[in-house]
Amino acid sequence: MRERPGVGLGLALLSALTFATSGTFARPLITGDWSAEAVVLARVGIAALVLAVPALLALRGRWAVLRRNAGTLVVFGLLGVALAQACFFNAVRYLPVGVALLLEYLGIVLVVGWMWLVHGQRPRLLTVAGSLTALCGLVFVLDLTGAGRLDPVGVLWGLGAGVGLAGYFVIAGRVDPALPSVVMASGGMAVGALVLLLLGLVGALPLRAGTADVSFAGHEMSWLVPIAGLSLIAAVVAYLTGVAGARLLGARLSSFVGLTEVMFAVLIAWLVLGELPSAVQLLGGALIVAGVALVRVDELRGGRTEPVDERADAPALA
């Protein structure tokens, strides 16, 4: 159908927009009584429960597929969900939301290095140029010579989120085409929530939550409002529209469209939280987006060396 690409583009943009709200919804909780790990647990735990029903329906008669991909789901939950989101939400404790997300998106450049070192897939010239552009952008985002230096702890958390995002893309690029995307999303979030809960119960992670009102968008309101936004808008809607968009556009093109999440996140944080990076950091952000876009364009032009299921889901993770 001629209109399918347009519908797919709309869904992919909606997915990027809803994913971009995660930092804005999380900030009032993290600056209040909640630990970042507890925020992640609430977000992915509730979303996993909501998506459990469609996931079970998608698995009817195909339980062998789930057993065959159990290991993939576990690694996806550990890296793509638990590590990426815990690091990102810890990063927004110290950094503006837009800056934290820019650091996370450097994970796409890490994928280039991983594929080269581990799988021998030497990057082409355009990919190298994109990686160098993104790294130059990182220097501007960090604004090392500026008056308002970024907290190094927040930078490390942001780069940790980038490692998790890289793991997400590596795993998503090799997902079994027989495994429904909604099962991958629900199962990965369930694994991530379970791991965080177990680590919290043994005291390895701080799972601290509160019921006090929070300040959101300049108003005092119940903590349930940002929790609902995180789990339903920034997780359930984001993943489902990402899945649908990826089915129509293909994984590579939909992940390319997902780069708009960075711009959406900066705009939302500015409108709701009053956060806006400096001019130098905005320049760095533009370079990072341009660099990552060059890498994605190179993939779209040259393809991959191994077969990839174009129906696989590859939305963003923030």
Side-chain angles (χ1 to χ4, degrees), residues 199-295:
L199 291 175
L201 291 177
V202 300
L205 287 178
L207 291 182
R208 185 181 66 256
T211 57
D213 289 349
V214 297
S215 177
F216 182 70
H219 302 281
E220 292 293 321
M221 60 186 63
S222 170
W223 60 275
L224 291 172
V225 174
I227 285 293
L230 267 176
S231 55
L232 300 180
I233 297 176
V236 173
V237 174
Y239 271 104
L240 289 181
T241 54
V243 168
R247 297 289 185 184
L248 296 174
L249 296 179
R252 284 175 287 180
L253 182 55
S254 63
S255 61
F256 177 81
V257 177
L259 295 176
T260 57
E261 179 188 350
V262 177
M263 292 168 281
F264 283 137
V266 172
L267 178 61
I268 292 170
W270 175 41
L271 294 175
V272 179
L273 302 178
E275 295 180 355
L276 187 65
S278 66
V280 172
Q281 289 172 334
L282 286 174
L283 172 61
L287 288 174
I288 289 178
V289 173
V292 174
L294 285 175
V295 174

Side-chain angles (χ1 to χ4, degrees), residues 92-252:
V92 299
R93 293 172 55 196
Y94 305 95
L95 305 173
V97 172
V99 174
L101 192 60
L102 288 168
L103 292 173
E104 181 184 22
Y105 259 87
L106 282 174
I108 296 180
V109 178
L110 296 179
V111 175
V112 176
W114 172 268
M115 299 306 293
W116 187 5
L117 295 175
V118 177
H119 297 282
Q121 296 181 15
R122 187 172 182 174
R124 293 180 294 270
L125 182 60
L126 195 59
T127 293
V128 173
S131 300
L132 292 177
T133 301
L135 291 176
C136 290
L138 174 62
V139 174
F140 284 107
V141 168
L142 297 180
D143 196 12
L144 299 178
T145 60
R149 285 193 174 186
L150 298 181
D151 193 311
V153 175
V155 172
L156 290 176
W157 280 119
L159 294 176
V163 173
L165 181 66
Y168 171 84
F169 279 113
V170 169
I171 296 169
R174 286 167 173 73
V175 66
D176 185 346
L179 182 68
S181 296
V182 67
V183 176
M184 187 78 171
S186 179
M189 287 191 288
V191 170
L194 180 60
V195 169
L196 290 173
L197 179 60
L198 292 176
L199 291 175
L201 291 177
V202 300
L205 287 178
L207 291 182
R208 185 181 66 256
T211 57
D213 289 349
V214 297
S215 177
F216 182 70
H219 302 281
E220 292 293 321
M221 60 186 63
S222 170
W223 60 275
L224 291 172
V225 174
I227 285 293
L230 267 176
S231 55
L232 300 180
I233 297 176
V236 173
V237 174
Y239 271 104
L240 289 181
T241 54
V243 168
R247 297 289 185 184
L248 296 174
L249 296 179
R252 284 175 287 180

